[in-house]
Structure formats: structure tokens, C-alpha cells
């Protein structure tokens, strides 16, 4: 599986493209989890007891709240659903997790269980901006 983009809009306040997308837990473990420590400004991992209920819920089949994935890109051309989807799928390793580090860490722990369902849908908010500051 890859990232499937459902919609894309241009946010004039932050001068960035914002997309709503989906993938699955397996893709998130393979492609998003390695990005959780990419930025110095990111919050450190919380005590796992704090997220134990989410871990149980994931194993019971819940749809985890969306994560926010971001990429810095000097976008001169207008992104469409198709072009943004292609761009993100080809360059996913160049982005970072803006929101959802704790959820991805919890998902990683849950993925080690026999009850884990890797094909479960995961919603992803995507932001493509020309600066990390935005």
C-alpha cells in the first residue's frame, strides 16, 4: 500500500498545500515511524503507560486518530490530488512527523502483538510547505 490522497487545498495563511489522505498501519510502520525523531523540536516519547489504552484499542481494531506528516518543498506549481499523491509517495522519506509521534510509537508497540492488524486504515493529514517554520 501507499498513501492515497483524497483531497488537497491551498492554505493562504501558511502558504502551504494541505491534503487529507489515508494509508494503513503497515505503511505507517515502514515509512512514518522511522521519521519520528527527525526534528529537534519534536516532543520526546512519553511513558508507555500513558498510551496503554490506545495500544489496547489498536489491537481491538480501532481507527487511530490521524497523524500529520509534513514536507518542505518549494512549490511553484499547483499541486493536484494526483500530483501531490505521486510526489509524497516518491519522497516520503524526506518528510517529518509534525503531529502523531506518540501515536506512531504506540502503534509500533502494538505491531509486535499477534493481534495486530497491519491493513487497518490510518488517516494522514499532509502539509507541503516551503519552510519548517510554517
Amino acid at each position: 500500500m501507499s498513501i492515497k490522497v483524497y483531497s488537497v487545498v491551498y492554505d493562504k495563511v501558511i502558504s502551504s498545500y494541505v491534503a487529507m489522505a489515508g494509508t494503513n498501519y503497515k505503511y505507517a510502520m515502514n515509512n512514518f515511524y522511522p521519521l519520528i525523531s527527525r526534528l529537534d523540536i519534536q516532543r520526546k516519547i512519553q511513558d508507555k503507560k500513558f498510551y496503554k489504552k490506545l495500544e489496547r484499542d489498536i489491537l481491538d481494531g480501532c481507527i487511530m486518530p490521524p497523524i500529520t506528516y509534513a514536507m518542505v518543498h518549494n512549490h511553484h506549481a499547483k499541486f493536484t490530488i494526483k500530483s501531490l499523491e505521486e510526489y509524497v509517495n516518491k519522497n516520503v522519506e524526506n518528510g517529518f512527523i509534525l503531529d502523531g509521534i506518540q501515536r506512531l510509537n504506540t502503534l509500533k508497540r502494538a505491531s509486535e502483538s499477534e493481534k495486530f492488524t497491519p491493513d487497518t486504515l490510518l488517516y494522514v493529514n499532509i502539509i507541503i510547505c516551503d519552510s519548517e517554520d510554517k
Side-chain angles (χ1 to χ4, degrees), residues 15-99:
S15 303
S16 304
Y17 285 93
V18 178
M20 303 305 152
T23 190
N24 63 25
Y25 287 169
K26 181 179 180 181
Y27 183 91
M29 287 295 82
N30 292 334
N31 296 280
F32 293 144
Y33 181 75
L35 304 175
I36 65 172
S37 59
R38 190 131 196 226
L39 292 180
D40 291 335
I41 62 168
Q42 291 173 320
R43 192 163 67 137
K44 301 301 176 218
I45 301 299
Q46 297 286 323
D47 184 331
K48 55 179 140 172
K49 289 186 279 184
F50 190 75
Y51 283 90
K52 199 68 175 161
K53 180 175 181 353
L54 177 59
E55 184 177 343
R56 284 192 310 270
D57 289 347
I58 289 169
L59 294 174
D60 288 340
C62 84
I63 303 300
M64 191 170 70
I67 64 165
T68 301
Y69 166 84
M71 293 179 79
V72 174
H73 173 69
N74 197 357
H75 48 74
H76 296 292
K78 181 179 177 185
F79 276 114
T80 64
I81 289 174
K82 183 178 178 182
S83 66
L84 191 138
E85 183 174 284
E86 288 174 0
Y87 181 76
V88 171
N89 280 303
K90 286 180 184 175
N91 299 285
V92 68
E93 71 280 355
N94 297 322
F96 55 94
I97 303 305
L98 190 61
D99 181 52

